[in-house]
Amino acid sequence: MPQLSLYLTQEQLAKVENEAHADKMSLSKWVVTQIINKIEPRYPDGWADLFGSVHDSSFSRPEQPQLEQREAF
């Protein structure tokens, strides 16, 4: 498996270590997760649950044009 070397200051390393510890991950797994999330973005968990959650009378579908009638084959 390929490896990647990083050069950080002691201050930066301490911040990365704190974040990894807070997320209960190893340093390597935390860094890989951050990189993957940056290069392969995805919607956050539960985003689809927001569909239809706006209950505001000013939020409405505009008038739709009539569909044209076409001949059947």
Side-chain angles (χ1 to χ4, degrees):
M1 178 180 303
Q3 294 184 348
L4 176 67
S5 296
L6 300 173
Y7 298 95
L8 302 171
T9 64
Q10 283 300 123
E11 183 179 324
Q12 292 167 332
L13 178 60
K15 290 178 182 180
V16 170
E17 288 173 332
N18 288 338
E19 292 296 320
H21 180 73
D23 289 343
K24 296 179 175 59
M25 293 181 178
S26 68
L27 281 175
S28 180
K29 185 173 182 175
W30 189 85
V31 170
V32 167
T33 300
Q34 298 304 307
I35 293 170
I36 296 302
N37 286 343
K38 183 69 175 180
I39 63 174
E40 295 178 5
R42 62 180 182 86
Y43 290 107
D45 294 338
W47 75 272
D49 298 336
L50 296 174
F51 182 76
S53 64
V54 175
H55 301 287
D56 183 349
S57 61
S58 67
F59 189 77
S60 60
R61 184 177 185 191
E63 287 289 323
Q64 301 297 303
Q66 292 290 334
L67 294 176
E68 64 183 64
Q69 296 295 322
R70 296 187 177 192
E71 294 179 20
F73 291 110

PDB file of all heavy atoms in Angstrom, residues 16-17 19-31 33-34:
ATOM      1  N   VAL A  16      -3.695  18.085  15.219  1.00  0.00           N
ATOM      2  CA  VAL A  16      -4.143  16.872  14.522  1.00  0.00           C
ATOM      3  C   VAL A  16      -4.355  15.744  15.529  1.00  0.00           C
ATOM      4  O   VAL A  16      -5.357  15.020  15.472  1.00  0.00           O
ATOM      5  CB  VAL A  16      -3.133  16.467  13.417  1.00  0.00           C
ATOM      6  CG1 VAL A  16      -3.456  15.093  12.856  1.00  0.00           C
ATOM      7  CG2 VAL A  16      -3.119  17.508  12.307  1.00  0.00           C
ATOM      8  N   GLU A  17      -3.419  15.601  16.461  1.00  0.00           N
ATOM      9  CA  GLU A  17      -3.550  14.559  17.484  1.00  0.00           C
ATOM     10  C   GLU A  17      -4.802  14.776  18.325  1.00  0.00           C
ATOM     11  O   GLU A  17      -5.525  13.815  18.626  1.00  0.00           O
ATOM     12  CB  GLU A  17      -2.309  14.540  18.383  1.00  0.00           C
ATOM     13  CG  GLU A  17      -1.087  13.986  17.706  1.00  0.00           C
ATOM     14  CD  GLU A  17       0.168  14.125  18.537  1.00  0.00           C
ATOM     15  OE1 GLU A  17       0.269  15.070  19.363  1.00  0.00           O
ATOM     16  OE2 GLU A  17       1.067  13.287  18.352  1.00  0.00           O
ATOM     17  N   GLU A  19      -7.593  16.312  17.421  1.00  0.00           N
ATOM     18  CA  GLU A  19      -8.769  16.009  16.598  1.00  0.00           C
ATOM     19  C   GLU A  19      -8.954  14.501  16.451  1.00  0.00           C
ATOM     20  O   GLU A  19     -10.072  13.991  16.543  1.00  0.00           O
ATOM     21  CB  GLU A  19      -8.655  16.668  15.224  1.00  0.00           C
ATOM     22  CG  GLU A  19      -8.748  18.173  15.250  1.00  0.00           C
ATOM     23  CD  GLU A  19     -10.104  18.676  15.727  1.00  0.00           C
ATOM     24  OE1 GLU A  19     -11.131  18.082  15.349  1.00  0.00           O
ATOM     25  OE2 GLU A  19     -10.124  19.657  16.481  1.00  0.00           O
ATOM     26  N   ALA A  20      -7.871  13.798  16.192  1.00  0.00           N
ATOM     27  CA  ALA A  20      -7.944  12.338  16.045  1.00  0.00           C
ATOM     28  C   ALA A  20      -8.414  11.696  17.346  1.00  0.00           C
ATOM     29  O   ALA A  20      -9.268  10.802  17.335  1.00  0.00           O
ATOM     30  CB  ALA A  20      -6.588  11.781  15.631  1.00  0.00           C
ATOM     31  N   HIS A  21      -7.888  12.165  18.454  1.00  0.00           N
ATOM     32  CA  HIS A  21      -8.288  11.624  19.755  1.00  0.00           C
ATOM     33  C   HIS A  21      -9.771  11.911  20.017  1.00  0.00           C
ATOM     34  O   HIS A  21     -10.500  11.039  20.501  1.00  0.00           O
ATOM     35  CB  HIS A  21      -7.412  12.224  20.862  1.00  0.00           C
ATOM     36  CG  HIS A  21      -7.759  11.729  22.220  1.00  0.00           C
ATOM     37  ND1 HIS A  21      -7.454  10.454  22.647  1.00  0.00           N
ATOM     38  CD2 HIS A  21      -8.401  12.324  23.247  1.00  0.00           C
ATOM     39  CE1 HIS A  21      -7.890  10.291  23.874  1.00  0.00           C
ATOM     40  NE2 HIS A  21      -8.474  11.414  24.263  1.00  0.00           N
ATOM     41  N   ALA A  22     -10.221  13.122  19.698  1.00  0.00           N
ATOM     42  CA  ALA A  22     -11.624  13.492  19.912  1.00  0.00           C
ATOM     43  C   ALA A  22     -12.556  12.625  19.072  1.00  0.00           C
ATOM     44  O   ALA A  22     -13.673  12.302  19.502  1.00  0.00           O
ATOM     45  CB  ALA A  22     -11.830  14.966  19.584  1.00  0.00           C
ATOM     46  N   ASP A  23     -12.107  12.243  17.876  1.00  0.00           N
ATOM     47  CA  ASP A  23     -12.914  11.384  17.000  1.00  0.00           C
ATOM     48  C   ASP A  23     -12.660   9.897  17.251  1.00  0.00           C
ATOM     49  O   ASP A  23     -13.169   9.052  16.518  1.00  0.00           O
ATOM     50  CB  ASP A  23     -12.624  11.710  15.527  1.00  0.00           C
ATOM     51  CG  ASP A  23     -13.188  13.055  15.110  1.00  0.00           C
ATOM     52  OD1 ASP A  23     -14.063  13.586  15.826  1.00  0.00           O
ATOM     53  OD2 ASP A  23     -12.771  13.572  14.050  1.00  0.00           O
ATOM     54  N   LYS A  24     -11.835   9.598  18.266  1.00  0.00           N
ATOM     55  CA  LYS A  24     -11.508   8.220  18.640  1.00  0.00           C
ATOM     56  C   LYS A  24     -10.942   7.431  17.462  1.00  0.00           C
ATOM     57  O   LYS A  24     -11.387   6.336  17.141  1.00  0.00           O
ATOM     58  CB  LYS A  24     -12.728   7.515  19.238  1.00  0.00           C
ATOM     59  CG  LYS A  24     -13.209   8.131  20.531  1.00  0.00           C
ATOM     60  CD  LYS A  24     -14.430   7.418  21.049  1.00  0.00           C
ATOM     61  CE  LYS A  24     -14.885   7.921  22.395  1.00  0.00           C
ATOM     62  NZ  LYS A  24     -15.231   9.279  22.501  1.00  0.00           N
ATOM     63  N   MET A  25      -9.973   8.047  16.765  1.00  0.00           N
ATOM     64  CA  MET A  25      -9.319   7.434  15.606  1.00  0.00           C
ATOM     65  C   MET A  25      -7.814   7.507  15.781  1.00  0.00           C
ATOM     66  O   MET A  25      -7.300   8.379  16.486  1.00  0.00           O
ATOM     67  CB  MET A  25      -9.673   8.173  14.318  1.00  0.00           C
ATOM     68  CG  MET A  25     -11.073   8.100  13.864  1.00  0.00           C
ATOM     69  SD  MET A  25     -11.217   9.022  12.309  1.00  0.00           S
ATOM     70  CE  MET A  25     -12.921   8.763  11.931  1.00  0.00           C
ATOM     71  N   SER A  26      -7.123   6.616  15.081  1.00  0.00           N
ATOM     72  CA  SER A  26      -5.669   6.730  15.010  1.00  0.00           C
ATOM     73  C   SER A  26      -5.336   7.958  14.162  1.00  0.00           C
ATOM     74  O   SER A  26      -6.179   8.442  13.395  1.00  0.00           O
ATOM     75  CB  SER A  26      -5.065   5.478  14.384  1.00  0.00           C
ATOM     76  OG  SER A  26      -5.421   5.401  13.006  1.00  0.00           O
ATOM     77  N   LEU A  27      -4.101   8.440  14.305  1.00  0.00           N
ATOM     78  CA  LEU A  27      -3.675   9.578  13.482  1.00  0.00           C
ATOM     79  C   LEU A  27      -3.816   9.266  12.000  1.00  0.00           C
ATOM     80  O   LEU A  27      -4.353  10.063  11.227  1.00  0.00           O
ATOM     81  CB  LEU A  27      -2.213   9.930  13.762  1.00  0.00           C
ATOM     82  CG  LEU A  27      -1.913  10.736  15.007  1.00  0.00           C
ATOM     83  CD1 LEU A  27      -0.408  10.887  15.178  1.00  0.00           C
ATOM     84  CD2 LEU A  27      -2.576  12.076  14.945  1.00  0.00           C
ATOM     85  N   SER A  28      -3.344   8.096  11.599  1.00  0.00           N
ATOM     86  CA  SER A  28      -3.374   7.713  10.196  1.00  0.00           C
ATOM     87  C   SER A  28      -4.803   7.666   9.666  1.00  0.00           C
ATOM     88  O   SER A  28      -5.108   8.223   8.610  1.00  0.00           O
ATOM     89  CB  SER A  28      -2.698   6.352  10.015  1.00  0.00           C
ATOM     90  OG  SER A  28      -2.720   5.973   8.671  1.00  0.00           O
ATOM     91  N   LYS A  29      -5.699   7.018  10.415  1.00  0.00           N
ATOM     92  CA  LYS A  29      -7.083   6.903   9.949  1.00  0.00           C
ATOM     93  C   LYS A  29      -7.747   8.277   9.886  1.00  0.00           C
ATOM     94  O   LYS A  29      -8.491   8.572   8.954  1.00  0.00           O
ATOM     95  CB  LYS A  29      -7.882   5.971  10.861  1.00  0.00           C
ATOM     96  CG  LYS A  29      -9.275   5.732  10.366  1.00  0.00           C
ATOM     97  CD  LYS A  29      -9.995   4.686  11.159  1.00  0.00           C
ATOM     98  CE  LYS A  29     -11.377   4.465  10.562  1.00  0.00           C
ATOM     99  NZ  LYS A  29     -12.088   3.381  11.223  1.00  0.00           N
ATOM    100  N   TRP A  30      -7.469   9.132  10.871  1.00  0.00           N
ATOM    101  CA  TRP A  30      -8.076  10.463  10.876  1.00  0.00           C
ATOM    102  C   TRP A  30      -7.621  11.276   9.671  1.00  0.00           C
ATOM    103  O   TRP A  30      -8.433  11.915   8.998  1.00  0.00           O
ATOM    104  CB  TRP A  30      -7.739  11.204  12.173  1.00  0.00           C
ATOM    105  CG  TRP A  30      -8.496  12.480  12.326  1.00  0.00           C
ATOM    106  CD1 TRP A  30      -9.745  12.654  12.839  1.00  0.00           C
ATOM    107  CD2 TRP A  30      -8.057  13.778  11.905  1.00  0.00           C
ATOM    108  NE1 TRP A  30     -10.107  13.978  12.775  1.00  0.00           N
ATOM    109  CE2 TRP A  30      -9.087  14.696  12.206  1.00  0.00           C
ATOM    110  CE3 TRP A  30      -6.896  14.259  11.315  1.00  0.00           C
ATOM    111  CZ2 TRP A  30      -8.987  16.054  11.943  1.00  0.00           C
ATOM    112  CZ3 TRP A  30      -6.792  15.622  11.040  1.00  0.00           C
ATOM    113  CH2 TRP A  30      -7.834  16.503  11.355  1.00  0.00           C
ATOM    114  N   VAL A  31      -6.311  11.249   9.381  1.00  0.00           N
ATOM    115  CA  VAL A  31      -5.784  12.006   8.247  1.00  0.00           C
ATOM    116  C   VAL A  31      -6.351  11.472   6.939  1.00  0.00           C
ATOM    117  O   VAL A  31      -6.776  12.239   6.068  1.00  0.00           O
ATOM    118  CB  VAL A  31      -4.239  11.989   8.236  1.00  0.00           C
ATOM    119  CG1 VAL A  31      -3.698  12.559   6.943  1.00  0.00           C
ATOM    120  CG2 VAL A  31      -3.695  12.755   9.428  1.00  0.00           C
ATOM    121  N   THR A  33      -9.174   9.921   6.494  1.00  0.00           N
ATOM    122  CA  THR A  33     -10.592  10.306   6.446  1.00  0.00           C
ATOM    123  C   THR A  33     -10.746  11.755   5.997  1.00  0.00           C
ATOM    124  O   THR A  33     -11.612  12.067   5.174  1.00  0.00           O
ATOM    125  CB  THR A  33     -11.237  10.115   7.833  1.00  0.00           C
ATOM    126  OG1 THR A  33     -11.134   8.740   8.200  1.00  0.00           O
ATOM    127  CG2 THR A  33     -12.701  10.528   7.825  1.00  0.00           C
ATOM    128  N   GLN A  34      -9.904  12.647   6.506  1.00  0.00           N
ATOM    129  CA  GLN A  34      -9.970  14.054   6.113  1.00  0.00           C
ATOM    130  C   GLN A  34      -9.664  14.229   4.629  1.00  0.00           C
ATOM    131  O   GLN A  34     -10.331  14.991   3.928  1.00  0.00           O
ATOM    132  CB  GLN A  34      -9.002  14.891   6.950  1.00  0.00           C
ATOM    133  CG  GLN A  34      -9.293  14.879   8.434  1.00  0.00           C
ATOM    134  CD  GLN A  34     -10.704  15.326   8.760  1.00  0.00           C
ATOM    135  OE1 GLN A  34     -11.134  16.396   8.336  1.00  0.00           O
ATOM    136  NE2 GLN A  34     -11.426  14.519   9.492  1.00  0.00           N
TER     137      GLN A  34
END
